[in-house]
Amino acid sequence: MVAVAKKVEFKSLTRSFNVSYKLNYPKSYSNQSFDCDIDVMRNIKDLRLIFQYYTVARNGTVQNALIKRPIDICFFLRNPKSDRLVKIIYDYVKERSDLPVRCPFGPGSYHIRNVRITDVPVPSFLPLAEFLLELIYYSEVRAEKMVEFRLHGKLIRLMDGGIFSR
């Protein structure tokens, strides 16, 4: 089972982050990749994440979240085994980025390169369906949303080189 992207949204909601991104080869299931540049303008001492995964019905409506996890990023970076599901995705992205590996992290430019959507590990308990993966980063101190990332996609099954979906 692999994921393919239909649309990517990345929004910076504060002056602390400047984000640019690109979905490469959006029409190719096998060659899709994602690149991202993140400029951090100030010291980040605390960062929280809400990790949410929704299925999308055939009529396009978003269903209840199958997965919803609040994550303290600084705690997670110190204890990556604290959340196995997030660790699977984090390990894959970490290999393709120069993102900070501990808190606090200071101003600077960071990048994520060549994240092949079909190579990102997908847990086997997720249904073959369209989905919305939403990552919302916010500051705990100010309780302000800082960055929103949404990946609209579809889980498909690859069998003998062919693509099968529901």
Side-chain angles (χ1 to χ4, degrees), residues 15-47:
R15 292 183 189 169
S16 300
F17 292 93
N18 185 18
V19 178
S20 62
Y21 64 93
K22 182 178 181 188
L23 179 62
N24 302 303
Y25 311 109
K27 296 192 187 295
S28 169
Y29 285 164
S30 59
N31 292 323
Q32 280 185 345
S33 67
F34 178 76
D35 296 329
C36 180
D37 293 304
I38 304 164
D39 293 322
V40 179
M41 308 306 176
R42 66 173 176 87
N43 266 352
I44 304 295
K45 295 178 183 170
D46 69 315
L47 190 61

PDB file of all heavy atoms in Angstrom, residues 15-47:
ATOM      1  N   ARG A  15       5.050  35.409  11.427  1.00  0.00           N
ATOM      2  CA  ARG A  15       6.287  35.928  10.834  1.00  0.00           C
ATOM      3  C   ARG A  15       7.511  35.125  11.256  1.00  0.00           C
ATOM      4  O   ARG A  15       8.604  35.357  10.781  1.00  0.00           O
ATOM      5  CB  ARG A  15       6.473  37.385  11.217  1.00  0.00           C
ATOM      6  CG  ARG A  15       5.448  38.273  10.593  1.00  0.00           C
ATOM      7  CD  ARG A  15       5.723  39.703  10.931  1.00  0.00           C
ATOM      8  NE  ARG A  15       4.598  40.526  10.490  1.00  0.00           N
ATOM      9  CZ  ARG A  15       4.432  41.759  10.817  1.00  0.00           C
ATOM     10  NH1 ARG A  15       5.294  42.351  11.605  1.00  0.00           N
ATOM     11  NH2 ARG A  15       3.406  42.434  10.375  1.00  0.00           N
ATOM     12  N   SER A  16       7.324  34.186  12.162  1.00  0.00           N
ATOM     13  CA  SER A  16       8.443  33.367  12.651  1.00  0.00           C
ATOM     14  C   SER A  16       8.935  32.372  11.601  1.00  0.00           C
ATOM     15  O   SER A  16      10.071  31.918  11.656  1.00  0.00           O
ATOM     16  CB  SER A  16       8.027  32.597  13.900  1.00  0.00           C
ATOM     17  OG  SER A  16       7.643  33.487  14.911  1.00  0.00           O
ATOM     18  N   PHE A  17       8.072  32.013  10.661  1.00  0.00           N
ATOM     19  CA  PHE A  17       8.408  31.032   9.631  1.00  0.00           C
ATOM     20  C   PHE A  17       8.070  31.582   8.255  1.00  0.00           C
ATOM     21  O   PHE A  17       7.039  32.210   8.062  1.00  0.00           O
ATOM     22  CB  PHE A  17       7.598  29.742   9.815  1.00  0.00           C
ATOM     23  CG  PHE A  17       7.946  28.964  11.042  1.00  0.00           C
ATOM     24  CD1 PHE A  17       7.251  29.145  12.214  1.00  0.00           C
ATOM     25  CD2 PHE A  17       8.979  28.045  11.013  1.00  0.00           C
ATOM     26  CE1 PHE A  17       7.558  28.420  13.348  1.00  0.00           C
ATOM     27  CE2 PHE A  17       9.303  27.309  12.142  1.00  0.00           C
ATOM     28  CZ  PHE A  17       8.595  27.497  13.309  1.00  0.00           C
ATOM     29  N   ASN A  18       8.928  31.293   7.300  1.00  0.00           N
ATOM     30  CA  ASN A  18       8.649  31.542   5.897  1.00  0.00           C
ATOM     31  C   ASN A  18       8.822  30.200   5.202  1.00  0.00           C
ATOM     32  O   ASN A  18       9.898  29.614   5.262  1.00  0.00           O
ATOM     33  CB  ASN A  18       9.603  32.595   5.336  1.00  0.00           C
ATOM     34  CG  ASN A  18       9.263  32.957   3.909  1.00  0.00           C
ATOM     35  OD1 ASN A  18       8.163  32.695   3.437  1.00  0.00           O
ATOM     36  ND2 ASN A  18      10.224  33.545   3.214  1.00  0.00           N
ATOM     37  N   VAL A  19       7.767  29.710   4.567  1.00  0.00           N
ATOM     38  CA  VAL A  19       7.777  28.375   3.997  1.00  0.00           C
ATOM     39  C   VAL A  19       7.510  28.443   2.498  1.00  0.00           C
ATOM     40  O   VAL A  19       6.607  29.138   2.051  1.00  0.00           O
ATOM     41  CB  VAL A  19       6.688  27.499   4.671  1.00  0.00           C
ATOM     42  CG1 VAL A  19       6.661  26.115   4.060  1.00  0.00           C
ATOM     43  CG2 VAL A  19       6.908  27.435   6.172  1.00  0.00           C
ATOM     44  N   SER A  20       8.313  27.713   1.736  1.00  0.00           N
ATOM     45  CA  SER A  20       8.020  27.510   0.314  1.00  0.00           C
ATOM     46  C   SER A  20       8.125  26.020   0.043  1.00  0.00           C
ATOM     47  O   SER A  20       8.907  25.318   0.684  1.00  0.00           O
ATOM     48  CB  SER A  20       8.973  28.314  -0.574  1.00  0.00           C
ATOM     49  OG  SER A  20      10.302  27.894  -0.387  1.00  0.00           O
ATOM     50  N   TYR A  21       7.340  25.533  -0.896  1.00  0.00           N
ATOM     51  CA  TYR A  21       7.299  24.092  -1.150  1.00  0.00           C
ATOM     52  C   TYR A  21       6.934  23.823  -2.606  1.00  0.00           C
ATOM     53  O   TYR A  21       6.426  24.700  -3.310  1.00  0.00           O
ATOM     54  CB  TYR A  21       6.284  23.409  -0.234  1.00  0.00           C
ATOM     55  CG  TYR A  21       4.863  23.859  -0.491  1.00  0.00           C
ATOM     56  CD1 TYR A  21       4.040  23.158  -1.363  1.00  0.00           C
ATOM     57  CD2 TYR A  21       4.355  24.998   0.111  1.00  0.00           C
ATOM     58  CE1 TYR A  21       2.751  23.587  -1.613  1.00  0.00           C
ATOM     59  CE2 TYR A  21       3.069  25.431  -0.128  1.00  0.00           C
ATOM     60  CZ  TYR A  21       2.274  24.708  -0.992  1.00  0.00           C
ATOM     61  OH  TYR A  21       0.993  25.130  -1.245  1.00  0.00           O
ATOM     62  N   LYS A  22       7.189  22.595  -3.017  1.00  0.00           N
ATOM     63  CA  LYS A  22       6.850  22.195  -4.373  1.00  0.00           C
ATOM     64  C   LYS A  22       6.556  20.704  -4.399  1.00  0.00           C
ATOM     65  O   LYS A  22       7.312  19.913  -3.827  1.00  0.00           O
ATOM     66  CB  LYS A  22       8.008  22.503  -5.326  1.00  0.00           C
ATOM     67  CG  LYS A  22       7.712  22.149  -6.763  1.00  0.00           C
ATOM     68  CD  LYS A  22       8.851  22.505  -7.676  1.00  0.00           C
ATOM     69  CE  LYS A  22       8.476  22.152  -9.112  1.00  0.00           C
ATOM     70  NZ  LYS A  22       9.583  22.300 -10.014  1.00  0.00           N
ATOM     71  N   LEU A  23       5.461  20.335  -5.039  1.00  0.00           N
ATOM     72  CA  LEU A  23       5.149  18.939  -5.311  1.00  0.00           C
ATOM     73  C   LEU A  23       5.650  18.659  -6.718  1.00  0.00           C
ATOM     74  O   LEU A  23       5.140  19.216  -7.691  1.00  0.00           O
ATOM     75  CB  LEU A  23       3.644  18.676  -5.196  1.00  0.00           C
ATOM     76  CG  LEU A  23       3.180  17.255  -5.483  1.00  0.00           C
ATOM     77  CD1 LEU A  23       3.800  16.272  -4.483  1.00  0.00           C
ATOM     78  CD2 LEU A  23       1.670  17.168  -5.436  1.00  0.00           C
ATOM     79  N   ASN A  24       6.681  17.836  -6.839  1.00  0.00           N
ATOM     80  CA  ASN A  24       7.276  17.513  -8.134  1.00  0.00           C
ATOM     81  C   ASN A  24       6.526  16.351  -8.787  1.00  0.00           C
ATOM     82  O   ASN A  24       6.167  15.398  -8.109  1.00  0.00           O
ATOM     83  CB  ASN A  24       8.747  17.132  -7.955  1.00  0.00           C
ATOM     84  CG  ASN A  24       9.534  18.236  -7.295  1.00  0.00           C
ATOM     85  OD1 ASN A  24       9.574  19.357  -7.768  1.00  0.00           O
ATOM     86  ND2 ASN A  24      10.141  17.919  -6.155  1.00  0.00           N
ATOM     87  N   TYR A  25       6.331  16.421 -10.079  1.00  0.00           N
ATOM     88  CA  TYR A  25       5.654  15.381 -10.871  1.00  0.00           C
ATOM     89  C   TYR A  25       4.301  14.992 -10.269  1.00  0.00           C
ATOM     90  O   TYR A  25       4.055  13.824  -9.972  1.00  0.00           O
ATOM     91  CB  TYR A  25       6.550  14.133 -11.007  1.00  0.00           C
ATOM     92  CG  TYR A  25       7.952  14.447 -11.442  1.00  0.00           C
ATOM     93  CD1 TYR A  25       9.016  14.323 -10.558  1.00  0.00           C
ATOM     94  CD2 TYR A  25       8.213  14.902 -12.731  1.00  0.00           C
ATOM     95  CE1 TYR A  25      10.307  14.635 -10.939  1.00  0.00           C
ATOM     96  CE2 TYR A  25       9.504  15.212 -13.132  1.00  0.00           C
ATOM     97  CZ  TYR A  25      10.544  15.076 -12.230  1.00  0.00           C
ATOM     98  OH  TYR A  25      11.824  15.382 -12.620  1.00  0.00           O
ATOM     99  N   PRO A  26       3.394  15.947 -10.087  1.00  0.00           N
ATOM    100  CA  PRO A  26       2.128  15.661  -9.411  1.00  0.00           C
ATOM    101  C   PRO A  26       1.250  14.639 -10.131  1.00  0.00           C
ATOM    102  O   PRO A  26       0.444  13.978  -9.492  1.00  0.00           O
ATOM    103  CB  PRO A  26       1.443  17.027  -9.341  1.00  0.00           C
ATOM    104  CG  PRO A  26       2.102  17.856 -10.372  1.00  0.00           C
ATOM    105  CD  PRO A  26       3.496  17.332 -10.518  1.00  0.00           C
ATOM    106  N   LYS A  27       1.399  14.464 -11.430  1.00  0.00           N
ATOM    107  CA  LYS A  27       0.540  13.536 -12.169  1.00  0.00           C
ATOM    108  C   LYS A  27       1.122  12.127 -12.259  1.00  0.00           C
ATOM    109  O   LYS A  27       0.481  11.221 -12.761  1.00  0.00           O
ATOM    110  CB  LYS A  27       0.261  14.086 -13.557  1.00  0.00           C
ATOM    111  CG  LYS A  27      -0.516  15.395 -13.517  1.00  0.00           C
ATOM    112  CD  LYS A  27      -1.042  15.771 -14.862  1.00  0.00           C
ATOM    113  CE  LYS A  27      -1.656  17.130 -14.883  1.00  0.00           C
ATOM    114  NZ  LYS A  27      -2.818  17.336 -14.112  1.00  0.00           N
ATOM    115  N   SER A  28       2.331  11.933 -11.778  1.00  0.00           N
ATOM    116  CA  SER A  28       2.977  10.629 -11.835  1.00  0.00           C
ATOM    117  C   SER A  28       2.921   9.948 -10.474  1.00  0.00           C
ATOM    118  O   SER A  28       3.495  10.433  -9.506  1.00  0.00           O
ATOM    119  CB  SER A  28       4.440  10.794 -12.263  1.00  0.00           C
ATOM    120  OG  SER A  28       5.136   9.588 -12.092  1.00  0.00           O
ATOM    121  N   TYR A  29       2.229   8.820 -10.391  1.00  0.00           N
ATOM    122  CA  TYR A  29       2.159   8.101  -9.119  1.00  0.00           C
ATOM    123  C   TYR A  29       3.529   7.659  -8.634  1.00  0.00           C
ATOM    124  O   TYR A  29       3.863   7.763  -7.474  1.00  0.00           O
ATOM    125  CB  TYR A  29       1.274   6.859  -9.239  1.00  0.00           C
ATOM    126  CG  TYR A  29      -0.210   7.146  -9.276  1.00  0.00           C
ATOM    127  CD1 TYR A  29      -1.089   6.185  -9.713  1.00  0.00           C
ATOM    128  CD2 TYR A  29      -0.727   8.363  -8.870  1.00  0.00           C
ATOM    129  CE1 TYR A  29      -2.455   6.413  -9.741  1.00  0.00           C
ATOM    130  CE2 TYR A  29      -2.092   8.609  -8.897  1.00  0.00           C
ATOM    131  CZ  TYR A  29      -2.947   7.629  -9.332  1.00  0.00           C
ATOM    132  OH  TYR A  29      -4.282   7.868  -9.356  1.00  0.00           O
ATOM    133  N   SER A  30       4.355   7.168  -9.537  1.00  0.00           N
ATOM    134  CA  SER A  30       5.620   6.570  -9.112  1.00  0.00           C
ATOM    135  C   SER A  30       6.741   7.583  -8.889  1.00  0.00           C
ATOM    136  O   SER A  30       7.702   7.279  -8.189  1.00  0.00           O
ATOM    137  CB  SER A  30       6.072   5.522 -10.129  1.00  0.00           C
ATOM    138  OG  SER A  30       6.220   6.117 -11.403  1.00  0.00           O
ATOM    139  N   ASN A  31       6.654   8.769  -9.458  1.00  0.00           N
ATOM    140  CA  ASN A  31       7.746   9.738  -9.344  1.00  0.00           C
ATOM    141  C   ASN A  31       7.433  10.958  -8.494  1.00  0.00           C
ATOM    142  O   ASN A  31       8.244  11.866  -8.417  1.00  0.00           O
ATOM    143  CB  ASN A  31       8.177  10.205 -10.740  1.00  0.00           C
ATOM    144  CG  ASN A  31       8.845   9.109 -11.523  1.00  0.00           C
ATOM    145  OD1 ASN A  31       9.579   8.295 -10.970  1.00  0.00           O
ATOM    146  ND2 ASN A  31       8.575   9.062 -12.818  1.00  0.00           N
ATOM    147  N   GLN A  32       6.280  11.015  -7.864  1.00  0.00           N
ATOM    148  CA  GLN A  32       5.939  12.178  -7.045  1.00  0.00           C
ATOM    149  C   GLN A  32       6.973  12.368  -5.949  1.00  0.00           C
ATOM    150  O   GLN A  32       7.386  11.419  -5.301  1.00  0.00           O
ATOM    151  CB  GLN A  32       4.589  11.991  -6.369  1.00  0.00           C
ATOM    152  CG  GLN A  32       3.417  12.247  -7.216  1.00  0.00           C
ATOM    153  CD  GLN A  32       2.121  12.138  -6.411  1.00  0.00           C
ATOM    154  OE1 GLN A  32       2.094  11.612  -5.311  1.00  0.00           O
ATOM    155  NE2 GLN A  32       1.061  12.662  -6.979  1.00  0.00           N
ATOM    156  N   SER A  33       7.362  13.620  -5.763  1.00  0.00           N
ATOM    157  CA  SER A  33       8.240  13.936  -4.636  1.00  0.00           C
ATOM    158  C   SER A  33       7.884  15.326  -4.131  1.00  0.00           C
ATOM    159  O   SER A  33       7.233  16.111  -4.816  1.00  0.00           O
ATOM    160  CB  SER A  33       9.714  13.844  -5.021  1.00  0.00           C
ATOM    161  OG  SER A  33      10.043  14.846  -5.951  1.00  0.00           O
ATOM    162  N   PHE A  34       8.353  15.604  -2.930  1.00  0.00           N
ATOM    163  CA  PHE A  34       8.015  16.845  -2.252  1.00  0.00           C
ATOM    164  C   PHE A  34       9.293  17.504  -1.780  1.00  0.00           C
ATOM    165  O   PHE A  34      10.168  16.842  -1.220  1.00  0.00           O
ATOM    166  CB  PHE A  34       7.104  16.510  -1.055  1.00  0.00           C
ATOM    167  CG  PHE A  34       6.717  17.683  -0.235  1.00  0.00           C
ATOM    168  CD1 PHE A  34       5.766  18.579  -0.661  1.00  0.00           C
ATOM    169  CD2 PHE A  34       7.312  17.905   0.999  1.00  0.00           C
ATOM    170  CE1 PHE A  34       5.399  19.661   0.107  1.00  0.00           C
ATOM    171  CE2 PHE A  34       6.962  18.981   1.781  1.00  0.00           C
ATOM    172  CZ  PHE A  34       5.991  19.860   1.331  1.00  0.00           C
ATOM    173  N   ASP A  35       9.424  18.807  -2.039  1.00  0.00           N
ATOM    174  CA  ASP A  35      10.553  19.606  -1.551  1.00  0.00           C
ATOM    175  C   ASP A  35       9.999  20.780  -0.757  1.00  0.00           C
ATOM    176  O   ASP A  35       8.931  21.307  -1.075  1.00  0.00           O
ATOM    177  CB  ASP A  35      11.383  20.164  -2.713  1.00  0.00           C
ATOM    178  CG  ASP A  35      12.050  19.090  -3.546  1.00  0.00           C
ATOM    179  OD1 ASP A  35      12.397  18.039  -2.991  1.00  0.00           O
ATOM    180  OD2 ASP A  35      12.234  19.311  -4.757  1.00  0.00           O
ATOM    181  N   CYS A  36      10.749  21.186   0.257  1.00  0.00           N
ATOM    182  CA  CYS A  36      10.284  22.277   1.107  1.00  0.00           C
ATOM    183  C   CYS A  36      11.476  23.055   1.651  1.00  0.00           C
ATOM    184  O   CYS A  36      12.497  22.466   2.015  1.00  0.00           O
ATOM    185  CB  CYS A  36       9.478  21.684   2.259  1.00  0.00           C
ATOM    186  SG  CYS A  36       8.827  22.893   3.403  1.00  0.00           S
ATOM    187  N   ASP A  37      11.357  24.376   1.684  1.00  0.00           N
ATOM    188  CA  ASP A  37      12.347  25.253   2.309  1.00  0.00           C
ATOM    189  C   ASP A  37      11.652  26.005   3.431  1.00  0.00           C
ATOM    190  O   ASP A  37      10.568  26.561   3.247  1.00  0.00           O
ATOM    191  CB  ASP A  37      12.911  26.244   1.293  1.00  0.00           C
ATOM    192  CG  ASP A  37      13.737  25.552   0.227  1.00  0.00           C
ATOM    193  OD1 ASP A  37      14.686  24.849   0.595  1.00  0.00           O
ATOM    194  OD2 ASP A  37      13.416  25.707  -0.971  1.00  0.00           O
ATOM    195  N   ILE A  38      12.291  26.013   4.600  1.00  0.00           N
ATOM    196  CA  ILE A  38      11.716  26.661   5.783  1.00  0.00           C
ATOM    197  C   ILE A  38      12.750  27.629   6.340  1.00  0.00           C
ATOM    198  O   ILE A  38      13.857  27.222   6.689  1.00  0.00           O
ATOM    199  CB  ILE A  38      11.351  25.624   6.863  1.00  0.00           C
ATOM    200  CG1 ILE A  38      10.401  24.575   6.289  1.00  0.00           C
ATOM    201  CG2 ILE A  38      10.746  26.309   8.083  1.00  0.00           C
ATOM    202  CD1 ILE A  38      10.277  23.331   7.118  1.00  0.00           C
ATOM    203  N   ASP A  39      12.384  28.892   6.395  1.00  0.00           N
ATOM    204  CA  ASP A  39      13.235  29.906   7.022  1.00  0.00           C
ATOM    205  C   ASP A  39      12.636  30.234   8.379  1.00  0.00           C
ATOM    206  O   ASP A  39      11.474  30.633   8.482  1.00  0.00           O
ATOM    207  CB  ASP A  39      13.312  31.173   6.162  1.00  0.00           C
ATOM    208  CG  ASP A  39      14.045  30.932   4.856  1.00  0.00           C
ATOM    209  OD1 ASP A  39      15.037  30.187   4.866  1.00  0.00           O
ATOM    210  OD2 ASP A  39      13.616  31.493   3.823  1.00  0.00           O
ATOM    211  N   VAL A  40      13.435  30.056   9.424  1.00  0.00           N
ATOM    212  CA  VAL A  40      13.009  30.351  10.788  1.00  0.00           C
ATOM    213  C   VAL A  40      13.623  31.701  11.158  1.00  0.00           C
ATOM    214  O   VAL A  40      14.829  31.897  11.034  1.00  0.00           O
ATOM    215  CB  VAL A  40      13.469  29.255  11.767  1.00  0.00           C
ATOM    216  CG1 VAL A  40      13.053  29.586  13.183  1.00  0.00           C
ATOM    217  CG2 VAL A  40      12.908  27.901  11.344  1.00  0.00           C
ATOM    218  N   MET A  41      12.785  32.626  11.606  1.00  0.00           N
ATOM    219  CA  MET A  41      13.223  33.997  11.858  1.00  0.00           C
ATOM    220  C   MET A  41      13.604  34.293  13.306  1.00  0.00           C
ATOM    221  O   MET A  41      14.216  35.309  13.578  1.00  0.00           O
ATOM    222  CB  MET A  41      12.113  34.983  11.457  1.00  0.00           C
ATOM    223  CG  MET A  41      11.592  34.799  10.071  1.00  0.00           C
ATOM    224  SD  MET A  41      12.911  34.833   8.863  1.00  0.00           S
ATOM    225  CE  MET A  41      12.018  34.489   7.392  1.00  0.00           C
ATOM    226  N   ARG A  42      13.228  33.390  14.247  1.00  0.00           N
ATOM    227  CA  ARG A  42      13.527  33.651  15.661  1.00  0.00           C
ATOM    228  C   ARG A  42      13.801  32.324  16.370  1.00  0.00           C
ATOM    229  O   ARG A  42      13.545  31.263  15.820  1.00  0.00           O
ATOM    230  CB  ARG A  42      12.385  34.389  16.341  1.00  0.00           C
ATOM    231  CG  ARG A  42      11.105  33.586  16.456  1.00  0.00           C
ATOM    232  CD  ARG A  42      10.069  34.326  17.297  1.00  0.00           C
ATOM    233  NE  ARG A  42       8.806  33.642  17.344  1.00  0.00           N
ATOM    234  CZ  ARG A  42       8.480  32.682  18.219  1.00  0.00           C
ATOM    235  NH1 ARG A  42       9.352  32.285  19.118  1.00  0.00           N
ATOM    236  NH2 ARG A  42       7.297  32.123  18.202  1.00  0.00           N
ATOM    237  N   ASN A  43      14.293  32.405  17.591  1.00  0.00           N
ATOM    238  CA  ASN A  43      14.502  31.202  18.395  1.00  0.00           C
ATOM    239  C   ASN A  43      13.165  30.535  18.668  1.00  0.00           C
ATOM    240  O   ASN A  43      12.195  31.196  19.038  1.00  0.00           O
ATOM    241  CB  ASN A  43      15.147  31.551  19.739  1.00  0.00           C
ATOM    242  CG  ASN A  43      16.641  31.418  19.695  1.00  0.00           C
ATOM    243  OD1 ASN A  43      17.218  30.930  18.726  1.00  0.00           O
ATOM    244  ND2 ASN A  43      17.291  31.853  20.762  1.00  0.00           N
ATOM    245  N   ILE A  44      13.133  29.223  18.513  1.00  0.00           N
ATOM    246  CA  ILE A  44      11.937  28.449  18.818  1.00  0.00           C
ATOM    247  C   ILE A  44      12.272  27.580  20.023  1.00  0.00           C
ATOM    248  O   ILE A  44      13.101  26.671  19.934  1.00  0.00           O
ATOM    249  CB  ILE A  44      11.510  27.577  17.617  1.00  0.00           C
ATOM    250  CG1 ILE A  44      11.304  28.425  16.367  1.00  0.00           C
ATOM    251  CG2 ILE A  44      10.286  26.748  17.969  1.00  0.00           C
ATOM    252  CD1 ILE A  44      10.174  29.413  16.431  1.00  0.00           C
ATOM    253  N   LYS A  45      11.636  27.883  21.144  1.00  0.00           N
ATOM    254  CA  LYS A  45      11.924  27.154  22.385  1.00  0.00           C
ATOM    255  C   LYS A  45      10.931  26.035  22.634  1.00  0.00           C
ATOM    256  O   LYS A  45      11.248  25.061  23.302  1.00  0.00           O
ATOM    257  CB  LYS A  45      11.910  28.118  23.566  1.00  0.00           C
ATOM    258  CG  LYS A  45      13.015  29.138  23.497  1.00  0.00           C
ATOM    259  CD  LYS A  45      12.945  30.094  24.651  1.00  0.00           C
ATOM    260  CE  LYS A  45      14.041  31.141  24.474  1.00  0.00           C
ATOM    261  NZ  LYS A  45      13.927  32.235  25.404  1.00  0.00           N
ATOM    262  N   ASP A  46       9.728  26.200  22.142  1.00  0.00           N
ATOM    263  CA  ASP A  46       8.716  25.168  22.308  1.00  0.00           C
ATOM    264  C   ASP A  46       7.899  25.087  21.026  1.00  0.00           C
ATOM    265  O   ASP A  46       7.606  26.100  20.401  1.00  0.00           O
ATOM    266  CB  ASP A  46       7.818  25.480  23.504  1.00  0.00           C
ATOM    267  CG  ASP A  46       6.933  26.682  23.235  1.00  0.00           C
ATOM    268  OD1 ASP A  46       7.458  27.687  22.717  1.00  0.00           O
ATOM    269  OD2 ASP A  46       5.731  26.626  23.515  1.00  0.00           O
ATOM    270  N   LEU A  47       7.576  23.886  20.635  1.00  0.00           N
ATOM    271  CA  LEU A  47       6.797  23.695  19.419  1.00  0.00           C
ATOM    272  C   LEU A  47       5.925  22.468  19.626  1.00  0.00           C
ATOM    273  O   LEU A  47       6.403  21.428  20.082  1.00  0.00           O
ATOM    274  CB  LEU A  47       7.734  23.497  18.223  1.00  0.00           C
ATOM    275  CG  LEU A  47       7.115  23.519  16.840  1.00  0.00           C
ATOM    276  CD1 LEU A  47       6.454  24.869  16.551  1.00  0.00           C
ATOM    277  CD2 LEU A  47       8.175  23.243  15.786  1.00  0.00           C
TER     278      LEU A  47
END
